[in-house]
Amino acid sequence: MLRIITASVALLAMNAFAADTQPARASSAEEPKVMQVAQDACVAFLPADVAAAEALLAPQFTLVNSQAVVQSRDEVLAEIRDRDPVYSEFRNHSMTAHVFGDAAIVQGITSVKGKSGGHAFDVAVRFTDTLIREQGKWRVVVSHVTAIPDQPD
């Protein structure tokens, strides 16, 4: 009988531990807010608005770009300042969001057109943005993009 009680207590303890280690999902009301941050980033990059980008990108921001190169926040901001690339389109779509307390993940597709180094480009990338909420404000900490190969007609 003692073994059954001990096993039952151990099982209850494991279930309680597992419940405590599961990330708490925030209300779905936060999901549109984090998706808006991803949209606001497009709005900042399109006209090369450095101040807007600085406000959206956390100080420790990193980007894994479509060439698998890791760029720091300073490197990304330098590209914006230098206006290379120059975008004629920078648009997010097909997005989903998941919020876990003060952390969030936004995924979707970004369609970009423009010029870089004098060469035109027109690409679509899948993105995953990780955001954190500090002092009530959502900021992007990590962004990872993967080029979507051209689909044959």
Side-chain angles (χ1 to χ4, degrees):
M1 181 72 162
L2 182 58
R3 283 186 202 173
I4 293 173
I5 293 171
T6 303
S8 296
V9 170
L11 184 58
L12 287 172
M14 287 186 338
N15 286 338
F17 176 75
D20 284 346
T21 60
Q22 297 300 313
R25 292 246 322 142
S27 72
S28 61
E30 290 298 310
E31 292 171 358
K33 294 177 186 177
V34 296
M35 284 194 283
Q36 186 60 51
V37 171
Q39 294 293 25
D40 291 346
C42 292
V43 172
F45 279 80
L46 187 62
D49 186 340
V50 176
E54 287 175 331
L56 294 167
L57 305 179
Q60 61 273 58
F61 173 80
T62 58
L63 165 68
V64 179
N65 70 23
S66 62
Q67 307 301 311
V69 174
V70 179
Q71 294 180 275
S72 69
R73 179 181 190 258
D74 289 343
E75 291 168 325
V76 171
L77 292 174
E79 285 183 356
I80 296 170
R81 279 187 198 92
D82 295 345
R83 294 199 48 84
D84 189 14
V86 172
Y87 299 102
S88 59
E89 178 183 0
F90 201 121
R91 178 179 59 89
N92 286 341
H93 53 94
S94 306
M95 296 192 312
T96 61
H98 302 284
V99 178
F100 304 94
D102 289 331
I105 298 170
V106 178
Q107 293 181 303
I109 297 174
T110 304
S111 298
V112 291
K113 293 180 185 179
K115 287 188 178 181
S116 180
H119 300 284
F121 62 87
D122 181 353
V123 298
V125 296
R126 290 200 182 275
F127 74 88
T128 300
D129 287 347
T130 303
L131 297 87
I132 57 169
R133 180 173 41 200
E134 294 179 317
Q135 300 173 352
K137 183 177 179 181
W138 288 103
R139 297 179 88 184
V140 183
V141 179
V142 176
S143 186
H144 185 276
V145 299
T146 301
I148 300 172
D150 290 335
Q151 300 295 316
D153 293 329

